[in-house]
Amino acid sequence: MAREKLISMHIAFVFLLYHVLIGIATDITDIRLANGVGLFDGRVEVLMNGTWGTICDTFFTSREANVICNTLFGTPQHQRYYRYSDAYGAGTGPIHIDHLDCMGWETTYFNECTYSLDVSCADHSHDVAVACKVFPLNITKTRLIDGSGPYDGRIELYVGGRWGTIDRRSVHKFEAQTICRTHGASLAMYFDTAIYGEGTGPVLIRYINCNEEKDTINSCSLKAPSRSSSSHRYDLSIACTPCGLPDIYNGHPVAFNGTELTVTCHTGFYPTQIKMKCLNNDSWAEEQRCTPFNAFPLKISDIQLKNGERPSKGRVEILVNGTWGTICDTNFEIADANVVCKMLGLEYRSYYTWVSDDSGRRGGPIYVNKLNCIGTESHINHCSYEISNHCTHFDDVAVECTGLTLNITDARLVNGTGPYDGRAEINVNGTWGTICDKNFDLQAADLFCDLMGLRAAHYITGAIYGEGSGPVFIDELFCEDDDYSLRSCRYLSHNECSHERDISAVCNDCGTPDIYHWGHDYFTYNGTTLFADCSHDKRSIGKLELTCDTHTQKWITEGECQEYSFPLDITEIRLSDGPSSTNGRVELKLLDTWGTVCDDLFGMNEANAICSMLGYPPAKTYYLNAHYGSGTGPIFVDGLSCDRDASHINNCTYDTKDNCDHDEDVSVVCTDRKNNGLSIDSTGSCNPACKACTSYDDCTACAARKYGSSCQHECGVGCQNLICDIKSGSCTCSSNFQGDNCDQCVNGKYGKTCDINCPRGCANDVCNGSGDCYSCKTGFTGNMCTQCEYGKYGTNCDIICPSGCSNNTCKDNGDCQSCEDGFTGSKCDQCVAGKYGINCEHDCSNNCAVETCIKTTGVCNDGCRINFYGQQCNMTCSATCLPDGEGRRCFYTNGSCVKDCQNGYYGDMCEVRCSENCINIVCLKANGGCKFGCVDGFKGEGCTQWMISNSDNTANSLNVNAIIGGGVGAVALLVAVGVIIKMRRRLTCLRYGHLTRHKPEYLYELTDAGRKS
């Protein structure tokens, strides 16, 4: 209540300030969300003239929802919006406004919208509600409550002055680890029930997805709750300890009592349970480990792929001692998948090391860990593997296999209308048989026709040319882009396809026409003519006739398509297939063609407009779902929405591009001109809605699909025979419906007749009546969970977009929409010229020859500019290298000089000084040997040895300390050395500095001051 008061005061101030500034008065002074399950969702209510009331849902869209969220919370994004009161309940005050219109994306606040005070809603059943997306959350504290100790309990977050909970249904390992880290601890386990009780505050998070362990919850993808999809029975219970995630082998945790974890051993392991304890040194201790009953090699009696869309795809399960179990994905690779497929008599196609939602997770034992096959084995028992493991069933591996190729020797078309069409049959090893239409596409048709030297023009499913009599050789076909013949395509044959699904084809010299992108369902063939139905775009009628010119190998087209749009030029209207002229399916005529009206959004206002066009008084009732049978031809009108006084549908709004089938054709019962269709009591005072009554508002009989004292309510759409109890509305449900009033679809279904499967991205396969998911599976997003979350792509939205994609978004194939600065390439996995680094944040060296370098290392791609070397060309060639004719001094690979050294230097890089005892100080580059010999008094390769006399006695100038020493005989030695020095002074090419240059290596230093005369 404090939060609502604060929000109310804030919005009231915003409204007051706005209208003072622009000089416009308004009756609405405040806005709020009521009866929400979280902080940011609820029924929308506005304060008008001091009274809170609701908003009727006419024309309410996502634009209006975004503006309400921005006005209340400063975020222009909604999570969901509702046009019925089912989710947040009906309001109790007046319905203040209708036709709320926040036109244009520039509209950001509620007081910039327009609305009508003429409300069309008769009751609160159409009160609008909104769930806003307000993230990141301002989490200031966390706590574990109602647990067995300080380390476990119901996790609660403190946001905006309220303690709230997290919905557990999207929480897996990474999410649980991140939640514990946000709490300042490490994950021990999390529970799949609210074992620590239900919270009482708001539900703060409905959905959380962390692709790895994060530092905080706000680093993950989050979604807000809504009342239709969240409640406290899903509150997350968790154990967060100082000991971190326990390393559990061959079991799974089931309970935590403060410091002790109870682990149940997998099937096939003993004992039944073990205990693990969190010690004071922040580590786990186990009393014993779950031990397998079985030993390598396992007694595997069978293998299967489960929960896939076909028998050749799914979770890998092996049968050991009568019990099915799984294989862990640790180290699982292509070679292992090959062996699994061989055991099934198939060939490998792909594998999954994180079990997809399609393949599912099972209970039971995990038999095999770290499977290691070469790929040539025929059985996994010929490979190596471990039985002990610390896997969970999230790690169950799944594979997809395909069959071999067929030895196809011939092909033909049978039972066609001419030589170019018919049932497609192939000859394999002398026997003719057919192809099932499963997975068959235009590429496969083209490869089939190629067997006869022709091209595919069209293919047809469902044995349209009759059923074959031989074997069905191919149940499912897999042709890749590089398959050049039907013989090279992979196939499956698992005896599931009957001849009712034999594929048929049209083969000729012209191939497919340019308009074949309309879809093969819009084409038919007869004799030599291909007929195209113009209704492919849902806004045109007519047929085109196409014939193949065998000489030019091009199609010749006759006829034209006629397009229609709002407002329709309706020339006639009728009610068809009803019991009288006032009852029937609504049909309109335009462009000399009869068509129908879809029942989307259809109500009494729309029925009255139809009856007015027919010249009748207002309608008695209307029927959805092709009550008088399905029509034919185009569906001209969809989403018809009329005001009360509309006399023609062109006074209303509607869409001429439908998304309906003819089982949604609407029917109307108009009032007869004679007696307005009333059955009245003896006083003649029945409410016009009654078929019979005892008083004006006490109906005893209602028209079909109506109930209530004034027949003011509609029976649930799922009521059998459209009949319900006149007082309560309860009824017996038709197939796929549930609820007291049969107005809800069973789980997994939606639509007017609850016959459409929920989108595959819906969590738990549950969606609302419009096909919007209450929540999405991991990786999916959008109202219908048909899109991948930001940063994800792939069939199951489980592949992370390349890191270089701008805004972390990419296309369905993983290609980036655009690249972050510094990146390039279709997947933005390369750096632009001149950049390198993980994030392409570093500049390549200016000294690279072509100014480009390797992304990961910065190594120049094509060598260095002249006179530079090193992997990143950041080192300069030695100035003592002699340049070649181009001025180049060294090789860029290692810095060695390309030519000789300048006089006085030697070595690969000319970095070593020649001996000063060399004549002219010139030496050989390779070894430093003096090129022109030694100066007088020195000898040796490097002129490093000097002569004491003319005798053979020599001394190495580098080891003069061997001669010079202390103690007895020192004076004699000094005199002898002095003679040598004196002799050297007479040589013009020598100087005293020769011996002093190496003074760090000596005990003494000889100088003129220390020399005796």
Side-chain angles (χ1 to χ4, degrees), residues 803-809 815-830 832:
S803 59
C805 292
S806 180
N807 299 319
N808 200 27
T809 60
D815 289 349
C816 301
Q817 304 281 0
S818 60
C819 296
E820 293 279 10
D821 290 343
F823 288 88
T824 188
S826 62
K827 289 186 166 53
C828 300
D829 53 358
Q830 305 165 37
V832 297

Side-chain angles (χ1 to χ4, degrees), residues 508-510 528 546-556:
N508 60 22
D509 294 314
C510 293
T528 58
L546 298 90
T547 54
C548 177
D549 186 328
T550 58
H551 297 292
T552 63
Q553 295 186 354
K554 292 183 178 180
W555 290 98
I556 299 172

Side-chain angles (χ1 to χ4, degrees), residues 766-944:
V766 177
C767 60
N768 67 12
S770 301
D772 293 345
C773 304
Y774 292 114
S775 63
C776 298
K777 293 176 183 176
T778 300
F780 289 87
T781 188
N783 285 347
M784 299 187 73
C785 301
T786 55
Q787 308 163 25
C788 291
E789 291 180 341
Y790 281 125
K792 296 290 185 70
Y793 75 98
T795 303
N796 297 310
C797 297
D798 57 353
I799 307 175
I800 298 173
C801 291
S803 59
C805 292
S806 180
N807 299 319
N808 200 27
T809 60
C810 58
K811 302 176 184 177
D812 291 342
N813 62 357
D815 289 349
C816 301
Q817 304 281 0
S818 60
C819 296
E820 293 279 10
D821 290 343
F823 288 88
T824 188
S826 62
K827 289 186 166 53
C828 300
D829 53 358
Q830 305 165 37
C831 294
V832 297
K835 292 286 187 179
Y836 79 98
I838 295 176
N839 297 314
C840 298
E841 72 274 25
H842 302 302
D843 292 323
C844 297
S845 171
N846 291 331
N847 300 322
C848 292
V850 293
E851 297 186 359
T852 63
C853 56
I854 297 173
K855 177 179 183 290
T856 54
T857 63
V859 174
C860 295
N861 280 321
D862 199 21
C864 306
R865 288 173 51 207
I866 194 167
N867 291 334
F868 291 92
Y869 74 99
Q871 288 188 331
Q872 296 185 3
C873 300
N874 54 1
M875 302 178 72
T876 306
C877 296
S878 173
T880 55
C881 295
L882 289 175
D884 62 7
E886 298 176 355
R888 182 176 53 175
R889 294 182 179 273
C890 68
F891 295 105
Y892 74 82
T893 53
N894 56 15
S896 62
C897 299
V898 297
K899 293 183 72 65
D900 210 340
C901 303
Q902 291 184 12
N903 288 344
Y905 294 88
Y906 74 97
D908 287 342
M909 299 173 70
C910 298
E911 76 279 20
V912 185
R913 188 91 163 102
C914 295
S915 171
E916 293 182 358
N917 299 329
C918 294
I919 294 176
N920 297 328
I921 317 180
V922 176
C923 58
L924 299 174
K925 178 187 176 189
N927 56 17
C930 294
K931 188 172 183 180
F932 305 113
C934 304
V935 298
D936 291 344
F938 290 85
K939 70 174 190 175
E941 186 178 4
C943 298
T944 58

Side-chain angles (χ1 to χ4, degrees), residues 23-68:
I24 299 176
T26 180
D27 295 321
I28 297 176
T29 56
D30 205 353
I31 183 172
R32 69 183 181 187
L33 300 181
N35 197 33
V37 69
L39 294 177
F40 313 113
D41 66 310
R43 182 178 59 251
V44 183
E45 296 187 351
V46 293
L47 186 65
M48 180 180 288
N49 300 325
T51 302
W52 286 101
T54 60
I55 299 176
C56 180
D57 72 344
T58 307
F59 300 148
F60 193 89
T61 68
S62 59
R63 285 200 309 266
E64 288 68 42
N66 285 337
V67 168
I68 288 170

Side-chain angles (χ1 to χ4, degrees), residues 89-231:
T92 56
I95 305 171
H96 278 320
I97 64 174
D98 197 357
H99 294 87
L100 179 64
D101 188 3
C102 304
M103 285 295 293
W105 297 112
E106 71 280 358
T107 303
T108 55
Y109 291 103
F110 188 83
N111 51 16
E112 298 171 353
C113 307
T114 63
Y115 53 85
S116 171
L117 299 178
D118 183 14
V119 176
S120 62
C121 291
D123 54 39
H124 282 287
S125 62
H126 285 262
D127 288 346
V128 300
V130 168
C132 298
K133 187 184 295 185
V134 183
F135 293 108
L137 295 173
N138 183 23
I139 303 170
T140 55
K141 290 184 284 186
T142 62
R143 69 183 181 186
L144 291 169
I145 193 168
D146 294 337
S148 60
Y151 301 132
D152 62 327
R154 182 178 62 256
I155 185 72
E156 295 191 350
L157 314 175
Y158 195 67
V159 176
R162 302 280 302 278
W163 285 102
T165 60
I166 299 174
D167 192 309
R168 69 171 182 272
R169 285 174 289 175
S170 63
V171 173
H172 300 304
K173 178 182 175 181
F174 289 149
E175 291 75 28
Q177 286 178 310
T178 301
I179 289 167
C180 282
R181 179 171 282 195
T182 304
H183 184 61
S186 298
L187 172 68
M189 71 171 295
Y190 57 97
F191 302 89
D192 57 5
T193 60
I195 65 167
Y196 295 120
E198 300 179 6
T200 56
V203 178
L204 296 176
I205 299 174
R206 165 62 185 92
Y207 170 87
I208 176 172
N209 177 37
C210 312
N211 54 17
E212 61 183 357
E213 183 180 1
K214 305 281 190 179
D215 291 330
T216 174
I217 291 171
N218 279 328
S219 297
C220 303
S221 174
L222 306 176
K223 287 187 179 178
S226 57
R227 184 165 290 282
S228 62
S229 63
S230 298
S231 73

Side-chain angles (χ1 to χ4, degrees), residues 30 55 171 180 242 247 263 323 331 389 416 435 448 488 490 533 635 666 756 762 860 919 957 990 999:
D30 205 353
I55 299 176
V171 173
C180 282
D247 200 4
V263 175
T323 301
N331 298 341
N389 65 82
I435 302 171
F448 169 80
S488 65
R490 303 287 176 176
D533 184 352
I635 300 173
V666 75
I756 308 173
C762 292
C860 295
I919 294 176
S957 64
L990 299 181
K999 64 182 180 182

Side-chain angles (χ1 to χ4, degrees), residues 963-982:
I963 300 173
I964 302 173
V968 180
V971 174
L973 288 171
L974 286 170
V975 171
V977 172
V979 171
I980 301 301
I981 295 175
K982 185 175 181 180

